[in-house]
PDB file of all heavy atoms in Angstrom:
ATOM      1  N   ALA A 226      95.617 108.970 106.173  1.00  0.00           N
ATOM      2  CA  ALA A 226      95.236 107.738 106.785  1.00  0.00           C
ATOM      3  C   ALA A 226      96.342 106.697 106.747  1.00  0.00           C
ATOM      4  O   ALA A 226      96.499 105.993 107.846  1.00  0.00           O
ATOM      5  CB  ALA A 226      93.970 107.218 106.055  1.00  0.00           C
ATOM      6  N   ARG A 254      92.320 121.812 108.769  1.00  0.00           N
ATOM      7  CA  ARG A 254      92.074 121.446 110.325  1.00  0.00           C
ATOM      8  C   ARG A 254      91.163 120.144 110.309  1.00  0.00           C
ATOM      9  O   ARG A 254      91.431 119.448 111.193  1.00  0.00           O
ATOM     10  CB  ARG A 254      91.215 122.600 110.829  1.00  0.00           C
ATOM     11  CG  ARG A 254      92.146 123.748 111.275  1.00  0.00           C
ATOM     12  CD  ARG A 254      91.360 124.698 112.202  1.00  0.00           C
ATOM     13  NE  ARG A 254      90.226 125.324 111.516  1.00  0.00           N
ATOM     14  CZ  ARG A 254      90.351 126.431 110.820  1.00  0.00           C
ATOM     15  NH1 ARG A 254      91.428 127.223 110.810  1.00  0.00           N
ATOM     16  NH2 ARG A 254      89.169 127.016 110.261  1.00  0.00           N
ATOM     17  N   THR A 255      90.132 120.011 109.448  1.00  0.00           N
ATOM     18  CA  THR A 255      89.488 118.743 109.477  1.00  0.00           C
ATOM     19  C   THR A 255      90.301 117.428 109.311  1.00  0.00           C
ATOM     20  O   THR A 255      90.210 116.518 109.999  1.00  0.00           O
ATOM     21  CB  THR A 255      88.299 118.802 108.305  1.00  0.00           C
ATOM     22  OG1 THR A 255      87.407 119.989 108.640  1.00  0.00           O
ATOM     23  CG2 THR A 255      87.501 117.528 108.300  1.00  0.00           C
ATOM     24  N   THR A 291     105.169 119.657  90.056  1.00  0.00           N
ATOM     25  CA  THR A 291     106.539 119.934  89.707  1.00  0.00           C
ATOM     26  C   THR A 291     107.318 120.804  90.654  1.00  0.00           C
ATOM     27  O   THR A 291     108.388 120.419  91.176  1.00  0.00           O
ATOM     28  CB  THR A 291     106.683 120.259  88.231  1.00  0.00           C
ATOM     29  OG1 THR A 291     106.038 119.331  87.281  1.00  0.00           O
ATOM     30  CG2 THR A 291     108.130 120.479  87.818  1.00  0.00           C
ATOM     31  N   ALA A 311     104.101 115.272  86.393  1.00  0.00           N
ATOM     32  CA  ALA A 311     104.034 116.538  85.780  1.00  0.00           C
ATOM     33  C   ALA A 311     102.955 116.619  84.632  1.00  0.00           C
ATOM     34  O   ALA A 311     102.413 115.546  84.407  1.00  0.00           O
ATOM     35  CB  ALA A 311     105.409 117.020  85.109  1.00  0.00           C
ATOM     36  N   LEU A 355     103.106  82.457  82.387  1.00  0.00           N
ATOM     37  CA  LEU A 355     102.193  82.904  81.333  1.00  0.00           C
ATOM     38  C   LEU A 355     102.849  82.855  79.893  1.00  0.00           C
ATOM     39  O   LEU A 355     102.175  83.242  78.891  1.00  0.00           O
ATOM     40  CB  LEU A 355     101.501  84.212  81.572  1.00  0.00           C
ATOM     41  CG  LEU A 355     100.400  84.204  82.560  1.00  0.00           C
ATOM     42  CD1 LEU A 355     100.812  84.098  83.947  1.00  0.00           C
ATOM     43  CD2 LEU A 355      99.393  85.427  82.405  1.00  0.00           C
ATOM     44  N   GLY A 356     104.061  82.495  79.825  1.00  0.00           N
ATOM     45  CA  GLY A 356     104.889  82.459  78.611  1.00  0.00           C
ATOM     46  C   GLY A 356     105.157  84.002  78.146  1.00  0.00           C
ATOM     47  O   GLY A 356     105.312  84.888  78.856  1.00  0.00           O
ATOM     48  N   ALA A 422      81.060 119.595  76.803  1.00  0.00           N
ATOM     49  CA  ALA A 422      81.896 120.691  76.261  1.00  0.00           C
ATOM     50  C   ALA A 422      82.058 121.873  77.139  1.00  0.00           C
ATOM     51  O   ALA A 422      82.995 122.649  77.059  1.00  0.00           O
ATOM     52  CB  ALA A 422      81.352 121.062  74.943  1.00  0.00           C
ATOM     53  N   GLY A 461     107.457  93.534  71.401  1.00  0.00           N
ATOM     54  CA  GLY A 461     106.675  93.160  70.315  1.00  0.00           C
ATOM     55  C   GLY A 461     105.199  92.805  70.544  1.00  0.00           C
ATOM     56  O   GLY A 461     104.420  92.747  69.788  1.00  0.00           O
ATOM     57  N   THR A 486     101.705  83.563  75.665  1.00  0.00           N
ATOM     58  CA  THR A 486     101.772  82.339  74.963  1.00  0.00           C
ATOM     59  C   THR A 486     101.305  80.982  75.682  1.00  0.00           C
ATOM     60  O   THR A 486     100.918  79.968  75.145  1.00  0.00           O
ATOM     61  CB  THR A 486     103.054  81.954  74.279  1.00  0.00           C
ATOM     62  OG1 THR A 486     104.099  82.127  75.260  1.00  0.00           O
ATOM     63  CG2 THR A 486     103.383  83.015  73.192  1.00  0.00           C
ATOM     64  N   PRO A 497      87.657  92.426  94.240  1.00  0.00           N
ATOM     65  CA  PRO A 497      89.092  92.563  94.788  1.00  0.00           C
ATOM     66  C   PRO A 497      89.515  91.254  95.540  1.00  0.00           C
ATOM     67  O   PRO A 497      90.829  91.254  95.859  1.00  0.00           O
ATOM     68  CB  PRO A 497      88.865  93.759  95.856  1.00  0.00           C
ATOM     69  CG  PRO A 497      87.454  93.643  96.245  1.00  0.00           C
ATOM     70  CD  PRO A 497      86.733  93.130  95.025  1.00  0.00           C
ATOM     71  N   ARG A 511      91.537  74.241  80.106  1.00  0.00           N
ATOM     72  CA  ARG A 511      91.917  75.565  79.831  1.00  0.00           C
ATOM     73  C   ARG A 511      90.786  76.537  80.246  1.00  0.00           C
ATOM     74  O   ARG A 511      90.640  77.584  79.687  1.00  0.00           O
ATOM     75  CB  ARG A 511      92.318  75.871  78.406  1.00  0.00           C
ATOM     76  CG  ARG A 511      93.591  75.101  77.953  1.00  0.00           C
ATOM     77  CD  ARG A 511      94.058  75.462  76.571  1.00  0.00           C
ATOM     78  NE  ARG A 511      93.327  75.230  75.474  1.00  0.00           N
ATOM     79  CZ  ARG A 511      93.346  74.001  74.933  1.00  0.00           C
ATOM     80  NH1 ARG A 511      94.123  73.026  75.468  1.00  0.00           N
ATOM     81  NH2 ARG A 511      92.612  73.747  73.858  1.00  0.00           N
ATOM     82  N   PRO A 523     101.024  88.725  97.939  1.00  0.00           N
ATOM     83  CA  PRO A 523     101.969  89.774  98.380  1.00  0.00           C
ATOM     84  C   PRO A 523     101.295  90.850  99.349  1.00  0.00           C
ATOM     85  O   PRO A 523     100.228  91.265  99.159  1.00  0.00           O
ATOM     86  CB  PRO A 523     102.254  90.351  96.976  1.00  0.00           C
ATOM     87  CG  PRO A 523     101.970  89.255  96.034  1.00  0.00           C
ATOM     88  CD  PRO A 523     100.813  88.471  96.551  1.00  0.00           C
ATOM     89  N   SER A 527     101.730  90.220 106.160  1.00  0.00           N
ATOM     90  CA  SER A 527     102.386  91.089 107.006  1.00  0.00           C
ATOM     91  C   SER A 527     101.753  92.447 107.288  1.00  0.00           C
ATOM     92  O   SER A 527     102.126  93.206 108.302  1.00  0.00           O
ATOM     93  CB  SER A 527     103.922  91.446 106.504  1.00  0.00           C
ATOM     94  OG  SER A 527     103.795  92.016 105.185  1.00  0.00           O
ATOM     95  N   ALA A 530      95.134  93.998 107.964  1.00  0.00           N
ATOM     96  CA  ALA A 530      94.630  93.756 109.363  1.00  0.00           C
ATOM     97  C   ALA A 530      94.020  92.433 109.639  1.00  0.00           C
ATOM     98  O   ALA A 530      94.067  91.939 110.648  1.00  0.00           O
ATOM     99  CB  ALA A 530      93.507  94.857 109.560  1.00  0.00           C
ATOM    100  N   GLU A 542      93.863  99.758 101.827  1.00  0.00           N
ATOM    101  CA  GLU A 542      94.908  98.817 102.125  1.00  0.00           C
ATOM    102  C   GLU A 542      96.019  98.894 101.166  1.00  0.00           C
ATOM    103  O   GLU A 542      97.292  98.970 101.435  1.00  0.00           O
ATOM    104  CB  GLU A 542      94.386  97.351 102.212  1.00  0.00           C
ATOM    105  CG  GLU A 542      93.671  96.992 103.525  1.00  0.00           C
ATOM    106  CD  GLU A 542      92.134  97.229 103.401  1.00  0.00           C
ATOM    107  OE1 GLU A 542      91.742  97.800 102.285  1.00  0.00           O
ATOM    108  OE2 GLU A 542      91.387  96.871 104.154  1.00  0.00           O
ATOM    109  N   LYS A 557     115.625 102.751 105.553  1.00  0.00           N
ATOM    110  CA  LYS A 557     116.788 102.039 105.188  1.00  0.00           C
ATOM    111  C   LYS A 557     117.676 102.612 104.136  1.00  0.00           C
ATOM    112  O   LYS A 557     118.585 102.092 103.778  1.00  0.00           O
ATOM    113  CB  LYS A 557     116.322 100.515 104.727  1.00  0.00           C
ATOM    114  CG  LYS A 557     115.703  99.740 105.752  1.00  0.00           C
ATOM    115  CD  LYS A 557     115.048  98.396 105.183  1.00  0.00           C
ATOM    116  CE  LYS A 557     114.381  97.598 106.258  1.00  0.00           C
ATOM    117  NZ  LYS A 557     113.719  96.480 105.684  1.00  0.00           N
ATOM    118  N   ASP A 595     116.728 110.021  77.805  1.00  0.00           N
ATOM    119  CA  ASP A 595     117.319 109.800  79.186  1.00  0.00           C
ATOM    120  C   ASP A 595     117.685 111.096  79.782  1.00  0.00           C
ATOM    121  O   ASP A 595     117.587 111.264  80.963  1.00  0.00           O
ATOM    122  CB  ASP A 595     118.582 108.902  78.989  1.00  0.00           C
ATOM    123  CG  ASP A 595     119.000 108.534  80.406  1.00  0.00           C
ATOM    124  OD1 ASP A 595     118.290 107.892  81.200  1.00  0.00           O
ATOM    125  OD2 ASP A 595     120.170 108.867  80.728  1.00  0.00           O
TER     126      ASP A 595
END
Side-chain angles (χ1 to χ4, degrees):
R254 280 193 297 268
T255 297
T291 303
L355 278 75
T486 53
R511 296 194 288 278
S527 60
E542 286 90 352
K557 296 174 180 175
D595 188 60

